[in-house]
Amino acid sequence: CKLRNKHYNKIKDETKRTARLIRKNGKFYLQSIVDCKQQMAKIKGDIDKIEPELRNYCGIDLNDGFFSVYSPSVWQNYYYDENFKQYNSHQREQNLRQLIKQMFVDIKRDHIHIVRIEDLDFMKLKHKDKSKAMNKMIHELPYGLFRKLIEIESFNHQMAVELIDPAYSSQKALELGLDRHLGAAKIIAEGNIGTYDFKIKNKEKT
């Protein structure tokens, strides 16, 4: 109780919080849980007031072993540790958190308003026409953890997160003469995948 009260005494705002004491590896930790709904709504409201053509976007394409990022001044891959797949859940989270924090440092100069990431519905992505290797790769992606960390850092930097349908992003990147993954990140940032999806489907019908 003393530790909890000391923690709350340092906080002067009116944000709703709950706290609990956790014992892990022989040590005690105080976990503070914050209700961010009001702040998130304010961030989104402030961004909505900005004209769409004046908003700055960052796009991220999640891949096996790395993620690709595009913003006005950053266009690069961020690679996980070589032993990432052998790590336990805590080690994976630490590695991803470190990479994502570095990414946000790198894009800081761009004054990003919205971070766009893929909306990966694994149940929809697992189709019969996909190979076993492809299905295995899809389900090994640390998407849940990745999305959580992106949302946390975006909130900390007063940015909103948008989920984008990634369909045909890699195909369009290759068609434009770009790298499959870096190009996909650029297309996700631009948010014009839906138009390309429509064109592809029309071509298939003819």
Side-chain angles (χ1 to χ4, degrees), residues 8 13-14 16 21 23 25-27 39 50 55 61 65 77 80 82 91 104 115-116 120 127 141-142 164 181 187:
Y8 282 135
D13 59 43
E14 298 180 355
K16 293 181 179 179
L21 200 61
R23 184 175 182 179
N25 298 326
K27 295 181 179 180
Q39 291 92 327
I50 302 172
R55 299 173 191 167
D61 179 52
N77 295 322
Y80 314 155
E82 290 183 4
Q91 290 171 321
F104 275 88
V115 177
R116 285 173 165 164
L120 298 180
H127 296 301
L141 291 177
I164 300 294
H181 304 297
I187 292 165

Side-chain angles (χ1 to χ4, degrees), residues 89-98 145 148-149:
S89 59
H90 175 71
Q91 290 171 321
R92 288 190 178 195
E93 181 169 347
Q94 289 299 103
N95 183 210
L96 265 181
R97 189 187 299 276
Q98 182 180 14
L145 174 59
K148 181 188 77 172
L149 295 176

